[in-house]
Amino acid sequence: MDRCVVLVDAGYLLGASASLLAGEPSRSRVTVDHTALIAALRERAEAETGLPLLRIYWFDAAPDRRPLPEHRRLRVLPRVTVRLGALTRAEGRRVQKGVDAAMHAELSELARNRACADVVLITGDGDLLPGMMSAKEHGVVVHLWALQAADGDFNQSEDLVGEADERRVLDREWIEQAVRVREVPAQCPAPVKGLGAGLGPRLGLAELLAAEPEPVEEPVAVPAAAALRVVPTPKDLAARSTPAVGPVSLVLRWSSDRHTDRHADRHADPALSVEQYPTLAHLTSSEQRWADREEDITTIGGDPHEVGQVFARRWTDRLAAPDRLAQLWDDYPRIPHRLDGELLRYAARFGLLAHKDDQIDEHDRYAIRAGFWKELVTHIPGAELLTADD
């Protein structure tokens, strides 16, 4: 049949893109506009083969073969079919299994059923050589596409290159239409010496900011805005001591474990806690829930920081009494237990449980909660000073 099909090994395409653009093969170093990438693949395939596109098959791996946000976005695009292998851990690194076998089976089936006249393969794995040879025997023209290799390296099997009917190289300019290097967050500024030294278990943010810094060798006037920007971590606070109070015995967390809130009376009555800090589920109508799910599938990338911001945006937009936000801010950086649990369960939808023992790892938990607070400060007058850029 006079149509073309594109088979994409996502691990190869995005890993090679990261090597080319960011200098290392980790896919986390790049961000991908999947809509633009699919459009570019379709346009080039139809131009190269001179045939209309039947379908683009996107082969990738995911923990337990459960689609990640990028896979959900891809599979709702026109003419795109997603096939997932398993993503497992081996010797401390992640390894995909079943992807090559799935590509081989799809290629052979398309050729055997004469579903297309031309096939475009975007891969570098020599394990697909038997499938390529079988497709050619059924009269299919095989186009092999490579991504420009970083530093002149060769990133495809020579056997594949030798067997292909046509070969093209996708250069840097082409891939940059849809793939960009991910910006690395700047390092947090070093904490101001002595900030928070006199804190006890009942001191809140206002007392923290009013605390006198310890003497330093050369007295330096610290602007109020600069002091506000530097917030010690829970570990910093727990390790502090002061001559007036002695060692500070604190158990402070970004999460809100049960019964650890400063104001114990808030949680004496569960109904009162829900009334003061309603969960997102309490504030969301069925119509909003449907719209939220649609947004999660089609536009949310699944970055931990982004997930926290999206959750906070929905929660604050639907909260009837904005004065409650200022009350919540008094407990910064802790999030009420019920709300925090809901936030982490929301994050689990985006594949962030793909870690040891089915737990979100510590780095991602901090990023999720940091995203929550970053969004919250935009709704509280004066709070943005805490996250003001230098």
Side-chain angles (χ1 to χ4, degrees):
M1 195 170 287
D2 293 337
R3 297 177 294 188
C4 68
V5 169
V6 180
L7 305 183
V8 181
D9 180 348
Y12 166 78
L13 177 61
L14 300 184
S17 298
S19 293
L20 178 63
L21 303 180
E24 56 182 275
S26 173
R27 289 168 57 171
S28 63
R29 292 299 313 279
V30 294
T31 58
V32 184
D33 182 340
H34 291 92
T35 302
L37 180 58
I38 292 299
L41 287 171
R42 177 173 186 169
E43 180 183 2
R44 179 141 187 173
E46 291 180 339
E48 292 277 349
T49 63
L51 300 173
L53 176 76
L54 171 63
R55 192 172 295 116
I56 294 176
Y57 290 89
W58 185 273
F59 295 87
D60 204 355
D64 299 325
R65 301 179 189 269
R66 292 180 298 187
L68 298 175
E70 63 183 88
H71 303 138
R72 293 197 292 269
R73 288 196 301 276
L74 279 163
R75 66 185 183 183
V76 299
L77 295 177
R79 303 294 183 97
V80 176
T81 296
V82 176
R83 298 278 190 257
L84 294 179
L87 188 63
T88 61
R89 287 186 177 273
E91 299 180 355
R93 63 189 186 91
R94 292 187 177 184
V95 178
Q96 61 182 29
K97 291 187 177 181
V99 174
D100 295 336
M103 289 189 72
H104 180 283
E106 199 71 59
L107 177 58
S108 299
E109 193 71 12
L110 288 167
R112 187 181 304 114
N113 293 326
R114 302 186 183 280
C116 58
D118 289 48
V119 168
V120 175
L121 282 179
I122 305 177
T123 185
D125 198 330
D127 290 344
L128 279 176
L129 182 62
M132 179 186 287
M133 296 173 65
S134 174
K136 291 175 63 178
E137 290 171 359
H138 284 88
V140 174
V141 177
V142 179
H143 304 250
L144 181 66
W145 290 2
L147 193 74
Q148 179 181 338
D151 301 325
D153 292 336
F154 198 78
N155 59 12
Q156 279 187 313
S157 162
E158 293 189 16
D159 291 333
L160 281 183
V161 174
E163 191 67 28
D165 294 307
E166 301 283 348
R167 183 171 184 265
R168 296 288 183 272
V169 177
L170 308 176
D171 59 18
R172 177 189 291 267
E173 182 180 358
W174 186 89
I175 199 64
E176 282 181 338
Q177 298 176 82
V179 181
R180 295 284 187 273
V181 176
R182 186 186 298 275
E183 294 183 4
V184 179
Q187 294 288 336
C188 293
V192 176
K193 185 175 181 180
L195 183 59
L199 292 180
R202 291 190 173 274
L203 293 184
L205 182 61
E207 291 88 344
L208 165 63
L209 299 177
E212 291 293 333
E214 295 174 355
V216 294
E217 291 80 358
E218 296 181 11
V220 178
V222 180
L228 283 170
R229 284 197 298 270
V230 183
V231 178
T233 66
K235 289 183 179 179
D236 293 336
L237 295 176
R240 296 286 169 82
S241 63
T242 170
V245 181
V248 180
S249 178
L250 296 179
V251 179
L252 298 178
R253 299 178 177 86
W254 276 86
S255 62
S256 276
D257 288 349
R258 292 184 187 275
H259 312 303
T260 60
D261 284 327
R262 252 187 325 111
H263 304 291
D265 58 327
R266 290 183 181 176
H267 297 279
D269 181 355
L272 182 61
S273 175
V274 172
E275 180 183 347
Q276 285 187 328
Y277 298 128
T279 62
L280 182 60
H282 280 89
L283 301 171
T284 303
S285 66
S286 57
E287 292 81 3
Q288 289 172 324
R289 189 172 294 109
W290 184 91
D292 290 348
R293 192 61 175 164
E294 183 72 12
E295 182 184 20
D296 290 342
I297 292 173
T298 57
T299 63
I300 307 303
D303 175 78
H305 202 272
E306 179 190 16
V307 168
Q309 285 186 275
V310 170
F311 181 93
R313 169 173 55 80
R314 292 173 183 170
W315 185 71
T316 52
D317 287 349
R318 295 165 194 174
L319 194 63
D323 58 302
R324 294 178 185 172
L325 297 179
Q327 189 179 26
L328 179 63
W329 189 251
D330 290 340
D331 276 342
Y332 177 87
R334 289 174 290 177
I335 302 172
H337 177 78
R338 293 169 62 88
L339 194 61
D340 185 69
E342 188 182 35
L343 170 61
L344 295 182
R345 287 192 296 274
Y346 173 68
R349 299 179 186 175
F350 295 90
L352 295 174
L353 285 181
H355 297 284
K356 185 178 180 181
D357 301 326
D358 258 357
Q359 297 292 321
I360 300 176
D361 74 11
E362 184 176 10
H363 176 79
D364 284 347
R365 288 199 304 271
Y366 272 76
I368 292 165
R369 288 158 179 148
F372 176 91
W373 285 111
K374 182 176 181 180
E375 177 65 26
L376 201 68
V377 299
T378 65
H379 298 269
I380 302 175
E384 64 274 5
L385 291 174
L386 276 167
T387 53
D389 296 329
D390 289 328

